[in-house]
Amino acid sequence: MNEKILILDFGSQYTQLIARRVRELNVYSEIIPYNKLPDTIDPSVRAIILSGSPFSVRDENALTLDLNKIVGKLPVLGVCYGAQMMAKYFGGTVEKSAKREYGKQAISTILKEDAFFEGIEAGSQVWMSHSDSITKLPEGFELLANSEGGVTAAYKKTPQNGEAPTYCIQFHPEVTHSLDGLQLLKNFIIGIAGCKGDWTPAHFVEETVTDLRKKLGEEHVLLALSGGVDSSVAALLLHKAIGKNLYCFFIDNGLLRKNEFEEVLTSYKGMGLNVVGVDAKQQFYDILRGVSDPEAKRKAIGGMFIEVFEAEAKQFPDIKWLAQGTIYPDVIESVSVHGPSVTIKSHHNVGGLPAKMGLKIVEPLRFLFKDEVRRVGRELGLADNILKRHPFPGPGLGIRILGDITPEKVAMLQEADAIYINGLKKWGLYDEVWQAGTILLPVQSVGVMGDERTYEKTIALRAVSSTDGMTAEWSHLPHAFLAEISTDIINNVRGINRVVYDISTKPPATIEWE
C-alpha cells in the first residue's frame, strides 16, 4: 500500500464504520487492536485514528497505550474514548458527566478557525455517545469547539517544533447522524495528513494482481466457487494474475436455487475461467436424510462439501494453494481487543481443508468490505447477474427448509423461490432489497382449492433492507406485489396453500430462520 490510515480499535461498535468512511475518501484504512501497535510503524502509515470504546477511561483497568509512541510523530485523531484517553494521559481531567449526552447534538461554538473545521459551521449536527466528559484539557492543548450542552466537543495539541498535529473529538464523525462527519474526516485525512486519495478499485486491482503474481509464481491454485460475488471476484483477480494455473470447482449440493448450477456454470465459462462442475446432489441428500436440527444440518453439509472437494481435488496433484473469498469483516471479527486473536471463522465450504491437503492459503479479498468487493467486481467486468446477486447462505436451501430435507421439499422450495425472486426483478424491486428468499415451514394448514379441502404446507417470504447485514429492517414491499406473488406460488407450486410475509427486524430476529 502506498499510503494508509491505521485505526486502533478499543472495542467500539463503530470501528468498522470509521474504516469504511476513510475508504469512501479513496484512502486505504486498516484496523488493528489497540494493544497490537508495532514498535516500528510502517512508513506507509500517514495517520492514526483512536477509536471509541464501550469502556470508561476512569476504570481501574481502562484500555490504554503509550501515546508518546505516536503523538507528535504522526497525525493523530482521537474519537470519543480516544479523545478522553488522550486528555487523561497527558494530565487533563475526565469526569463522569452530570448529564449523559447520547444521540443528536450540535456543535454550538467553534472557537477558532482551523483547517480541521474547514467547510463546517457552528450548529452542525453531530452524534454523541458518552457518559464521561473532559472537564480540563492537558497543558499544551487548546479547545476548538463545544457542544450545545457545554461539553468539550473538539480540541487539539498546540503545534510546536514542527511536530505532527493531534486532534481529538468527543463525537462520532463516522455515523450518518453527524451530518458533516465525512467532511471532517476529509479535512483530517486529506487536508491535514496529506493523503492523496488515490486508492480506487482500479488501483486495488493493479496492486493485487501484481502481488498475486509475486506470491504465486507458476504454482497452481484451487478455488471453490459458490456463485456469489466474493468467490467470483476472487476468481477473476486470480485469473488475471495467473491465468490457466487457476482451477475452480463449482459443486452442486442439491440445495441451490432453481437452475442455478447450469446458469452459473455458463456465466463462469463466459468469463474464461477454468471451471469444473461437480454434481453431488445425491451425496448431500443421503447425508441429510432424517436430519432436522439446524446446526446438525450445517455440519453435515460442511462435512460432505469437504469430502466431495477433497475427492475431486485428487485429479489435480500439482495444486499448491487453496484460494478463499474471505473478506475484511471476517478478519476483523476474528480479533479480540481484550486478548489474543481467535481463529478466523472458516468458510463452511473449505473449513479444515488446507491443513488436511497440505495447501497454502491465498485470500485476495481479505482487506475489502462487501461493497468494495462489488466495486472491484464491476472494475473487472463481472456480470450483473452475479455482481448484484443477493447474499445466499452457504448451506443454501438446507437452512431455508425447516425440519428434515428431502429432494421433494427442495424442488417445492426452488419453485416458490424462483417465482418470488423473478417477481422482485419484474417489479424492479430486486436491487432495492439487500436479501430475499423463501422459507418452507414445517407446518400444514387447511385450505380450499376448487371444491376440495386441502391440508398443505406454508411458505414464508423474507426480504430485508440493510447495508452490511449486521442489522436489517424488513422491506416494505408493495401489497399488490405480495398479493401477486402469493397467488402465483399457491397456483403453481403443488403442495403449498398458504403464503405469509416475515416482518421481523434484525435484531432481535436474524435474516435467515435457521
Side-chain angles (χ1 to χ4, degrees), residues 104-155:
K104 298 173 184 176
Q105 300 285 327
I107 298 175
S108 63
T109 309
I110 297 177
L111 299 172
K112 57 179 63 181
E113 289 188 12
D114 192 282
F116 189 57
F117 281 109
E118 185 178 342
I120 302 172
E121 297 181 357
S124 178
Q125 177 183 295
V126 296
W127 182 263
M128 293 281 192
S129 178
H130 63 98
S131 55
D132 293 337
S133 298
I134 300 165
T135 55
K136 179 186 175 185
L137 290 178
E139 186 177 343
F141 289 75
E142 55 189 297
L143 186 65
L144 292 179
N146 282 323
S147 74
E148 57 188 339
V151 170
T152 298
Y155 68 94

Short mmCIF file of all heavy atoms in Angstrom, two decimals, residues 104-155:
data_model
loop_
_atom_site.label_atom_id
_atom_site.label_comp_id
_atom_site.label_asym_id
_atom_site.label_seq_id
_atom_site.Cartn_x
_atom_site.Cartn_y
_atom_site.Cartn_z
N LYS A 104 -28.37 12.87 18.89
CA LYS A 104 -28.09 14.05 18.07
C LYS A 104 -27.86 15.28 18.95
O LYS A 104 -28.68 15.60 19.80
CB LYS A 104 -29.26 14.31 17.12
CG LYS A 104 -29.51 13.17 16.13
CD LYS A 104 -30.78 13.41 15.33
CE LYS A 104 -31.07 12.22 14.40
NZ LYS A 104 -32.35 12.39 13.67
N GLN A 105 -26.73 15.93 18.71
CA GLN A 105 -26.39 17.18 19.39
C GLN A 105 -25.88 18.14 18.32
O GLN A 105 -25.80 17.78 17.14
CB GLN A 105 -25.31 16.94 20.45
CG GLN A 105 -25.69 15.96 21.54
CD GLN A 105 -26.66 16.54 22.55
OE1 GLN A 105 -26.61 17.75 22.84
NE2 GLN A 105 -27.53 15.71 23.09
N ALA A 106 -25.54 19.33 18.73
CA ALA A 106 -24.98 20.30 17.79
C ALA A 106 -23.68 20.86 18.33
O ALA A 106 -23.49 20.97 19.54
CB ALA A 106 -25.97 21.43 17.52
N ILE A 107 -22.77 21.14 17.40
CA ILE A 107 -21.58 21.89 17.80
C ILE A 107 -22.02 23.35 17.92
O ILE A 107 -22.25 24.02 16.91
CB ILE A 107 -20.46 21.77 16.73
CG1 ILE A 107 -20.03 20.31 16.58
CG2 ILE A 107 -19.26 22.62 17.13
CD1 ILE A 107 -19.02 20.10 15.47
N SER A 108 -22.18 23.82 19.12
CA SER A 108 -22.76 25.15 19.30
C SER A 108 -21.75 26.26 19.04
O SER A 108 -22.10 27.34 18.58
CB SER A 108 -23.31 25.30 20.72
OG SER A 108 -22.25 25.17 21.67
N THR A 109 -20.49 25.97 19.33
CA THR A 109 -19.48 27.02 19.21
C THR A 109 -18.19 26.45 18.61
O THR A 109 -17.67 25.45 19.10
CB THR A 109 -19.13 27.61 20.59
OG1 THR A 109 -20.33 27.98 21.26
CG2 THR A 109 -18.23 28.84 20.44
N ILE A 110 -17.72 27.06 17.54
CA ILE A 110 -16.38 26.77 17.02
C ILE A 110 -15.52 27.97 17.38
O ILE A 110 -15.75 29.08 16.89
CB ILE A 110 -16.41 26.53 15.49
CG1 ILE A 110 -17.26 25.28 15.18
CG2 ILE A 110 -14.99 26.35 14.96
CD1 ILE A 110 -17.41 24.98 13.70
N LEU A 111 -14.57 27.76 18.27
CA LEU A 111 -13.88 28.87 18.92
C LEU A 111 -12.83 29.56 18.07
O LEU A 111 -12.51 30.72 18.29
CB LEU A 111 -13.25 28.38 20.22
CG LEU A 111 -14.26 27.84 21.25
CD1 LEU A 111 -13.55 27.21 22.42
CD2 LEU A 111 -15.16 28.97 21.74
N LYS A 112 -12.26 28.85 17.12
CA LYS A 112 -11.24 29.49 16.29
C LYS A 112 -11.19 28.81 14.93
O LYS A 112 -11.57 27.65 14.77
CB LYS A 112 -9.87 29.43 16.97
CG LYS A 112 -9.38 28.03 17.32
CD LYS A 112 -8.01 28.07 17.95
CE LYS A 112 -8.04 28.83 19.26
NZ LYS A 112 -6.74 28.91 19.91
N GLU A 113 -10.73 29.55 13.95
CA GLU A 113 -10.60 28.98 12.62
C GLU A 113 -9.48 27.94 12.62
O GLU A 113 -8.42 28.17 13.19
CB GLU A 113 -10.29 30.09 11.60
CG GLU A 113 -11.47 31.00 11.31
CD GLU A 113 -11.18 31.95 10.16
OE1 GLU A 113 -10.17 31.74 9.46
OE2 GLU A 113 -11.95 32.91 9.98
N ASP A 114 -9.75 26.85 11.98
CA ASP A 114 -8.75 25.78 11.92
C ASP A 114 -9.05 24.92 10.71
O ASP A 114 -10.22 24.71 10.35
CB ASP A 114 -8.81 24.93 13.20
CG ASP A 114 -7.61 24.00 13.35
OD1 ASP A 114 -7.58 22.95 12.66
OD2 ASP A 114 -6.71 24.33 14.12
N ALA A 115 -8.02 24.41 10.08
CA ALA A 115 -8.20 23.56 8.90
C ALA A 115 -9.06 22.35 9.19
O ALA A 115 -9.73 21.79 8.31
CB ALA A 115 -6.83 23.10 8.38
N PHE A 116 -9.10 21.94 10.46
CA PHE A 116 -9.88 20.78 10.87
C PHE A 116 -11.38 21.00 10.63
O PHE A 116 -12.12 20.06 10.34
CB PHE A 116 -9.61 20.51 12.35
CG PHE A 116 -10.17 19.21 12.87
CD1 PHE A 116 -9.83 18.00 12.28
CD2 PHE A 116 -11.03 19.21 13.96
CE1 PHE A 116 -10.34 16.80 12.78
CE2 PHE A 116 -11.53 18.02 14.46
CZ PHE A 116 -11.18 16.82 13.87
N PHE A 117 -11.84 22.26 10.76
CA PHE A 117 -13.26 22.57 10.60
C PHE A 117 -13.57 23.28 9.28
O PHE A 117 -14.63 23.90 9.15
CB PHE A 117 -13.74 23.43 11.78
CG PHE A 117 -14.00 22.64 13.03
CD1 PHE A 117 -13.16 22.76 14.12
CD2 PHE A 117 -15.07 21.77 13.11
CE1 PHE A 117 -13.38 22.03 15.28
CE2 PHE A 117 -15.32 21.04 14.26
CZ PHE A 117 -14.47 21.15 15.35
N GLU A 118 -12.70 23.17 8.32
CA GLU A 118 -12.95 23.81 7.03
C GLU A 118 -14.27 23.30 6.42
O GLU A 118 -14.50 22.10 6.33
CB GLU A 118 -11.80 23.53 6.06
CG GLU A 118 -11.94 24.27 4.74
CD GLU A 118 -10.77 24.03 3.80
OE1 GLU A 118 -9.71 23.60 4.29
OE2 GLU A 118 -10.92 24.28 2.60
N GLY A 119 -15.14 24.23 6.03
CA GLY A 119 -16.42 23.85 5.43
C GLY A 119 -17.48 23.44 6.42
O GLY A 119 -18.56 23.00 6.04
N ILE A 120 -17.20 23.56 7.72
CA ILE A 120 -18.15 23.17 8.77
C ILE A 120 -18.44 24.40 9.63
O ILE A 120 -17.52 25.10 10.05
CB ILE A 120 -17.57 22.03 9.64
CG1 ILE A 120 -17.24 20.82 8.76
CG2 ILE A 120 -18.55 21.65 10.74
CD1 ILE A 120 -16.49 19.73 9.50
N GLU A 121 -19.71 24.63 9.90
CA GLU A 121 -20.10 25.82 10.66
C GLU A 121 -20.68 25.44 12.00
O GLU A 121 -21.13 24.31 12.22
CB GLU A 121 -21.13 26.63 9.85
CG GLU A 121 -20.58 27.17 8.53
CD GLU A 121 -21.62 27.99 7.78
OE1 GLU A 121 -22.76 28.10 8.27
OE2 GLU A 121 -21.27 28.52 6.71
N ALA A 122 -20.70 26.40 12.91
CA ALA A 122 -21.34 26.20 14.21
C ALA A 122 -22.80 25.82 13.98
O ALA A 122 -23.46 26.32 13.07
CB ALA A 122 -21.25 27.48 15.04
N GLY A 123 -23.30 24.92 14.81
CA GLY A 123 -24.67 24.43 14.65
C GLY A 123 -24.73 23.10 13.92
O GLY A 123 -25.80 22.48 13.81
N SER A 124 -23.59 22.63 13.41
CA SER A 124 -23.55 21.36 12.69
C SER A 124 -23.97 20.21 13.62
O SER A 124 -23.49 20.10 14.75
CB SER A 124 -22.14 21.11 12.15
OG SER A 124 -22.08 19.86 11.49
N GLN A 125 -24.85 19.35 13.12
CA GLN A 125 -25.34 18.23 13.92
C GLN A 125 -24.30 17.12 13.98
O GLN A 125 -23.72 16.73 12.98
CB GLN A 125 -26.64 17.67 13.32
CG GLN A 125 -27.19 16.45 14.05
CD GLN A 125 -28.41 15.88 13.38
OE1 GLN A 125 -29.45 16.53 13.33
NE2 GLN A 125 -28.30 14.66 12.86
N VAL A 126 -24.06 16.62 15.21
CA VAL A 126 -23.14 15.50 15.41
C VAL A 126 -23.82 14.45 16.27
O VAL A 126 -24.89 14.67 16.86
CB VAL A 126 -21.83 15.97 16.09
CG1 VAL A 126 -21.08 16.94 15.18
CG2 VAL A 126 -22.10 16.59 17.46
N TRP A 127 -23.18 13.28 16.34
CA TRP A 127 -23.73 12.17 17.13
C TRP A 127 -22.85 11.95 18.34
O TRP A 127 -21.68 11.64 18.23
CB TRP A 127 -23.79 10.91 16.29
CG TRP A 127 -24.38 9.72 17.01
CD1 TRP A 127 -23.71 8.73 17.64
CD2 TRP A 127 -25.78 9.42 17.17
NE1 TRP A 127 -24.58 7.82 18.19
CE2 TRP A 127 -25.87 8.23 17.91
CE3 TRP A 127 -26.96 10.06 16.77
CZ2 TRP A 127 -27.09 7.64 18.25
CZ3 TRP A 127 -28.16 9.47 17.10
CH2 TRP A 127 -28.22 8.28 17.83
N MET A 128 -23.44 12.15 19.53
CA MET A 128 -22.72 11.95 20.78
C MET A 128 -23.10 10.61 21.41
O MET A 128 -24.24 10.15 21.27
CB MET A 128 -23.06 13.07 21.78
CG MET A 128 -22.58 14.45 21.37
SD MET A 128 -20.82 14.63 21.72
CE MET A 128 -20.63 16.42 21.50
N SER A 129 -22.14 9.99 22.10
CA SER A 129 -22.42 8.75 22.81
C SER A 129 -21.39 8.60 23.91
O SER A 129 -20.38 7.91 23.76
CB SER A 129 -22.37 7.55 21.86
OG SER A 129 -22.60 6.35 22.57
N HIS A 130 -21.63 9.28 25.05
CA HIS A 130 -20.63 9.23 26.12
C HIS A 130 -21.27 9.52 27.46
O HIS A 130 -22.26 10.25 27.57
CB HIS A 130 -19.50 10.24 25.85
CG HIS A 130 -19.94 11.66 25.85
ND1 HIS A 130 -19.79 12.50 26.94
CD2 HIS A 130 -20.53 12.42 24.89
CE1 HIS A 130 -20.27 13.70 26.65
NE2 HIS A 130 -20.72 13.68 25.40
N SER A 131 -20.70 8.93 28.50
CA SER A 131 -21.16 9.19 29.86
C SER A 131 -20.07 9.88 30.68
O SER A 131 -20.27 10.19 31.85
CB SER A 131 -21.56 7.88 30.55
OG SER A 131 -20.51 6.95 30.50
N ASP A 132 -18.89 10.09 30.06
CA ASP A 132 -17.80 10.86 30.69
C ASP A 132 -17.58 12.14 29.89
O ASP A 132 -17.91 12.21 28.71
CB ASP A 132 -16.50 10.05 30.68
CG ASP A 132 -16.56 8.83 31.59
OD1 ASP A 132 -17.38 8.84 32.53
OD2 ASP A 132 -15.80 7.88 31.35
N SER A 133 -17.03 13.13 30.55
CA SER A 133 -16.72 14.40 29.87
C SER A 133 -15.32 14.87 30.22
O SER A 133 -14.83 14.63 31.33
CB SER A 133 -17.73 15.49 30.25
OG SER A 133 -19.03 15.14 29.85
N ILE A 134 -14.70 15.55 29.28
CA ILE A 134 -13.39 16.15 29.52
C ILE A 134 -13.64 17.52 30.16
O ILE A 134 -14.15 18.43 29.52
CB ILE A 134 -12.60 16.30 28.21
CG1 ILE A 134 -12.40 14.93 27.56
CG2 ILE A 134 -11.26 17.00 28.45
CD1 ILE A 134 -11.97 14.99 26.12
N THR A 135 -13.31 17.65 31.43
CA THR A 135 -13.58 18.91 32.14
C THR A 135 -12.37 19.83 32.21
O THR A 135 -12.49 21.01 32.53
CB THR A 135 -14.08 18.61 33.57
OG1 THR A 135 -13.12 17.78 34.24
CG2 THR A 135 -15.43 17.89 33.51
N LYS A 136 -11.18 19.28 31.95
CA LYS A 136 -9.98 20.10 31.93
C LYS A 136 -9.01 19.53 30.90
O LYS A 136 -8.68 18.35 30.94
CB LYS A 136 -9.31 20.13 33.32
CG LYS A 136 -8.04 20.96 33.36
CD LYS A 136 -7.35 20.82 34.72
CE LYS A 136 -6.01 21.56 34.71
NZ LYS A 136 -5.27 21.35 35.98
N LEU A 137 -8.56 20.39 30.00
CA LEU A 137 -7.61 19.95 28.99
C LEU A 137 -6.19 19.91 29.55
O LEU A 137 -5.87 20.69 30.46
CB LEU A 137 -7.64 20.88 27.78
CG LEU A 137 -8.90 20.85 26.90
CD1 LEU A 137 -8.77 21.87 25.77
CD2 LEU A 137 -9.14 19.46 26.33
N PRO A 138 -5.35 19.03 29.03
CA PRO A 138 -3.96 19.00 29.49
C PRO A 138 -3.22 20.28 29.08
O PRO A 138 -3.63 20.97 28.14
CB PRO A 138 -3.37 17.78 28.76
CG PRO A 138 -4.53 17.04 28.19
CD PRO A 138 -5.63 18.03 28.00
N GLU A 139 -2.14 20.54 29.73
CA GLU A 139 -1.31 21.68 29.36
C GLU A 139 -0.75 21.43 27.95
O GLU A 139 -0.33 20.32 27.61
CB GLU A 139 -0.15 21.83 30.36
CG GLU A 139 0.69 23.06 30.14
CD GLU A 139 1.78 23.22 31.19
OE1 GLU A 139 1.67 22.56 32.25
OE2 GLU A 139 2.73 23.99 30.94
N GLY A 140 -0.77 22.47 27.13
CA GLY A 140 -0.27 22.33 25.77
C GLY A 140 -1.34 21.94 24.77
O GLY A 140 -1.04 21.72 23.59
N PHE A 141 -2.60 21.86 25.22
CA PHE A 141 -3.72 21.56 24.33
C PHE A 141 -4.69 22.73 24.35
O PHE A 141 -4.77 23.46 25.36
CB PHE A 141 -4.44 20.28 24.77
CG PHE A 141 -3.65 19.01 24.53
CD1 PHE A 141 -2.57 18.68 25.35
CD2 PHE A 141 -3.99 18.15 23.49
CE1 PHE A 141 -1.84 17.51 25.14
CE2 PHE A 141 -3.27 16.98 23.27
CZ PHE A 141 -2.19 16.66 24.09
N GLU A 142 -5.43 22.93 23.27
CA GLU A 142 -6.37 24.07 23.22
C GLU A 142 -7.74 23.64 22.70
O GLU A 142 -7.86 22.76 21.83
CB GLU A 142 -5.79 25.18 22.33
CG GLU A 142 -5.42 24.74 20.94
CD GLU A 142 -4.66 25.82 20.18
OE1 GLU A 142 -5.26 26.89 19.95
OE2 GLU A 142 -3.48 25.59 19.82
N LEU A 143 -8.76 24.27 23.25
CA LEU A 143 -10.15 23.95 22.90
C LEU A 143 -10.49 24.51 21.53
O LEU A 143 -10.16 25.65 21.21
CB LEU A 143 -11.08 24.55 23.96
CG LEU A 143 -12.57 24.21 23.85
CD1 LEU A 143 -12.81 22.72 24.07
CD2 LEU A 143 -13.37 25.02 24.90
N LEU A 144 -11.17 23.70 20.72
CA LEU A 144 -11.61 24.14 19.39
C LEU A 144 -13.11 24.34 19.30
O LEU A 144 -13.59 25.22 18.59
CB LEU A 144 -11.17 23.12 18.32
CG LEU A 144 -9.68 22.98 18.04
CD1 LEU A 144 -9.45 21.92 16.98
CD2 LEU A 144 -9.09 24.31 17.62
N ALA A 145 -13.90 23.49 20.00
CA ALA A 145 -15.36 23.57 19.87
C ALA A 145 -16.05 22.96 21.07
O ALA A 145 -15.52 22.03 21.71
CB ALA A 145 -15.81 22.87 18.59
N ASN A 146 -17.24 23.48 21.37
CA ASN A 146 -18.10 22.94 22.43
C ASN A 146 -19.39 22.40 21.83
O ASN A 146 -19.82 22.84 20.74
CB ASN A 146 -18.46 24.04 23.45
CG ASN A 146 -17.33 24.32 24.41
OD1 ASN A 146 -16.62 23.40 24.81
ND2 ASN A 146 -17.15 25.58 24.77
N SER A 147 -20.03 21.48 22.55
CA SER A 147 -21.35 21.02 22.14
C SER A 147 -22.39 21.95 22.72
O SER A 147 -22.08 22.80 23.56
CB SER A 147 -21.59 19.59 22.64
OG SER A 147 -21.85 19.60 24.03
N GLU A 148 -23.66 21.79 22.31
CA GLU A 148 -24.71 22.67 22.81
C GLU A 148 -24.94 22.45 24.30
O GLU A 148 -25.49 23.31 24.99
CB GLU A 148 -26.01 22.44 22.04
CG GLU A 148 -26.53 21.01 22.07
CD GLU A 148 -27.71 20.83 21.11
OE1 GLU A 148 -28.35 21.83 20.77
OE2 GLU A 148 -27.98 19.67 20.72
N GLY A 149 -24.46 21.30 24.82
CA GLY A 149 -24.57 21.04 26.26
C GLY A 149 -23.39 21.58 27.03
O GLY A 149 -23.27 21.35 28.23
N GLY A 150 -22.50 22.31 26.35
CA GLY A 150 -21.35 22.91 27.01
C GLY A 150 -20.19 21.96 27.21
O GLY A 150 -19.23 22.26 27.93
N VAL A 151 -20.26 20.78 26.58
CA VAL A 151 -19.21 19.77 26.73
C VAL A 151 -18.11 20.01 25.70
O VAL A 151 -18.38 20.46 24.58
CB VAL A 151 -19.81 18.36 26.55
CG1 VAL A 151 -18.72 17.29 26.46
CG2 VAL A 151 -20.77 18.04 27.69
N THR A 152 -16.87 19.71 26.07
CA THR A 152 -15.75 19.78 25.12
C THR A 152 -16.06 18.88 23.93
O THR A 152 -16.18 17.66 24.07
CB THR A 152 -14.44 19.32 25.79
OG1 THR A 152 -14.13 20.20 26.87
CG2 THR A 152 -13.30 19.31 24.79
N ALA A 153 -16.19 19.47 22.75
CA ALA A 153 -16.52 18.70 21.55
C ALA A 153 -15.30 18.43 20.70
O ALA A 153 -15.23 17.39 20.01
CB ALA A 153 -17.58 19.43 20.73
N ALA A 154 -14.32 19.33 20.70
CA ALA A 154 -13.11 19.15 19.90
C ALA A 154 -11.97 19.96 20.50
O ALA A 154 -12.18 21.06 21.00
CB ALA A 154 -13.36 19.58 18.46
N TYR A 155 -10.78 19.38 20.44
CA TYR A 155 -9.60 20.12 20.88
C TYR A 155 -8.38 19.60 20.12
O TYR A 155 -8.45 18.59 19.41
CB TYR A 155 -9.40 19.99 22.40
CG TYR A 155 -9.02 18.62 22.92
CD1 TYR A 155 -7.68 18.28 23.10
CD2 TYR A 155 -9.98 17.68 23.24
CE1 TYR A 155 -7.31 17.05 23.59
CE2 TYR A 155 -9.64 16.43 23.73
CZ TYR A 155 -8.29 16.11 23.91
OH TYR A 155 -7.94 14.87 24.39
#
